[in-house]
Amino acid sequence: MRDSARSLVHRAAAAAAALTVALAAPAAAHEEHEHLPHHWESPGVRGELTGQTGILLLGWLAAAGTGRLLARKERERC
Amino acid sequence: MHRLRQILAIARVAYLENLRKQVLQVTLILTIAAIGSTTLLSFFDVGVQIKILKDLSLAAILFCGGVLAVVLSAGNIPGEILTHTVYPVLARAVRRSDYVLGRYLGAMATAALCMALLAVVFLGILAVYEKTFDGAVALGMLFILIEVAVVAAIGTLFSLFVSPLVAGTLTIGVFILGQIKISFLHGAIERSASPAGSLLLKGLYAALPNLDCFSFKDALVHNIAVPPSYMGIVALYGLVYCAFVLSVSGIAFARKDL
């Protein structure tokens, strides 16, 4: 019981420390980021996302086909 | 229809298992505490306070989402193999890819529940200050959930090849590097003097998901309009990324010697 409580306190302390760092970073970087162009304003980012989506879609179709083939082979073996 | 029922049954079990995880409950309580603590900054005027509330709360929710994605995905399937509970399930006519999908959907259902709880707290506090419901912030949180889904899918894939600890560490790495991909890595490639370093960075750039595209924090904090078409592209990118990674995970698990 005591070990469990101690473990919970340790985890809470670690999470609190990580949360403090995570919260401090965006607050500190806030002023610097304000002057940079946003990703939704960049045509390059939009093009990159569209291209990657196309490639991933093809990859997904290929992977789904391979998966179906493997499942059929597995059924035949059984 | 039968397959869908099997997937949903596996997802339900995974969801109920995940709800009992202590680390999830602790992270959730701390994030709610972090969101609540931003209301203590009452020495600023209301406009500035709303901006700080949005900025810090969205950062806390993103952090919580990252933790959820890592915790829920890294040990999701290896834990089942370790406790041998996977064998009776696979002994029935359940496809291995369906098993991976079911476990992933269970993890995502848990993450969605946590995000919904955080959204209720955050939007409730925001409504008190703004005297109206902020739909844009709710939409922004939906994109954080898609980001969590992408990271969890990657974590699930890693967990099929390496131990949960290594998978978790790698997923954290992807989560952090994915956040700075466009803002930092792109510039680092341009600034890199050595060809080998540039090639390494380009490889890393191509392999990492564009996680910073899911963040509309600046737009929400400063009330900047984001084109709906861009949001559509980002949402589609996230969903296709998840589908691709899960398909590869299904193949990897089908070929895994259990």
Side-chain angles (χ1 to χ4, degrees):
Chain A
M1 185 69 186
R2 198 178 290 169
D3 283 348
S4 171
R6 197 179 296 159
S7 160
L8 201 66
V9 169
H10 285 165
R11 284 181 203 177
L19 198 63
T20 312
V21 173
L23 289 179
H30 196 255
E31 287 302 311
E32 291 166 30
H33 275 277
E34 218 166 20
H35 305 294
L36 293 170
H38 301 293
H39 58 85
W40 59 87
E41 291 165 344
S42 163
V45 173
R46 187 186 280 251
E48 193 182 308
L49 276 178
T50 313
Q52 282 185 8
T53 306
I55 293 167
L56 286 168
L57 203 62
L58 289 175
W60 175 32
L61 290 175
T66 312
R68 200 162 286 182
L69 205 71
L70 280 174
R72 195 188 297 165
K73 272 187 184 171
E74 205 175 279
R75 266 202 309 274
E76 281 169 6
R77 208 182 300 150
C78 293
Chain B
M1 196 64 192
H2 179 64
R3 272 182 69 196
L4 184 69
R5 213 175 298 150
Q6 284 180 335
I7 292 168
L8 289 178
I10 294 165
R12 189 172 166 272
V13 172
Y15 168 75
L16 292 172
E17 274 174 19
N18 288 328
L19 282 183
R20 292 195 209 107
K21 284 185 177 162
Q22 275 185 352
V23 64
L24 190 120
Q25 294 157 4
V26 169
T27 311
L28 204 59
I29 291 166
L30 280 171
T31 312
I32 290 172
I35 294 170
S37 66
T38 53
T39 57
L40 301 174
L41 304 164
S42 53
F43 42 84
F44 291 112
D45 63 42
V46 180
V48 176
Q49 204 174 344
I50 288 172
K51 281 185 179 180
I52 292 172
L53 171 68
K54 283 182 182 175
D55 200 354
L56 293 185
S57 299
L58 286 168
I61 290 166
L62 180 64
F63 174 76
C64 178
V67 172
L68 289 178
V70 172
V71 169
L72 297 174
S73 65
N76 202 3
I77 295 170
E80 293 294 292
I81 298 170
L82 206 68
T83 54
H84 300 277
T85 40
V86 68
Y87 301 111
V89 181
L90 294 180
R92 292 163 183 254
V94 177
R95 281 192 196 178
R96 287 193 181 191
S97 55
D98 290 351
Y99 183 78
V100 173
L101 184 62
R103 295 294 303 181
Y104 172 77
L105 288 179
M108 280 319 298
T110 318
L113 177 78
C114 295
M115 298 301 272
L117 272 172
L118 293 176
V120 167
V121 173
F122 175 38
L123 291 171
I125 293 172
L126 204 57
V128 171
Y129 282 94
E130 289 187 329
K131 311 271 187 262
T132 177
F133 174 73
D134 201 334
V137 174
L139 195 64
M141 287 195 67
L142 191 68
F143 277 90
I144 294 178
L145 184 63
I146 300 175
E147 181 176 344
V148 170
V150 171
V151 177
I154 294 168
T156 304
L157 179 64
F158 284 154
S159 74
L160 297 174
F161 294 102
V162 288
S163 70
L165 190 69
V166 178
T169 312
L170 287 173
T171 313
I172 291 170
V174 169
F175 179 64
I176 293 169
L177 288 174
Q179 297 289 338
I180 56 165
K181 185 180 168 180
I182 294 171
S183 53
F184 177 73
L185 272 183
H186 197 266
I189 292 168
E190 285 172 359
R191 284 193 299 272
S192 178
S194 80
S198 176
L199 198 71
L200 188 76
L201 284 172
K202 275 180 185 166
L204 194 64
Y205 189 86
L208 284 169
N210 281 331
L211 294 182
D212 40 2
C213 287
F214 295 101
S215 172
F216 295 104
K217 191 157 65 76
D218 286 354
L220 294 170
V221 171
H222 301 289
N223 291 321
I224 304 167
V226 178
S229 61
Y230 179 78
M231 293 178 102
I233 292 170
V234 173
L236 186 70
Y237 169 76
L239 296 177
V240 173
Y241 203 103
C242 289
F244 171 68
V245 175
L246 287 174
S247 295
V248 175
S249 303
I251 296 171
F253 193 55
R255 296 176 69 87
K256 196 176 171 76
D257 191 20
L258 290 173

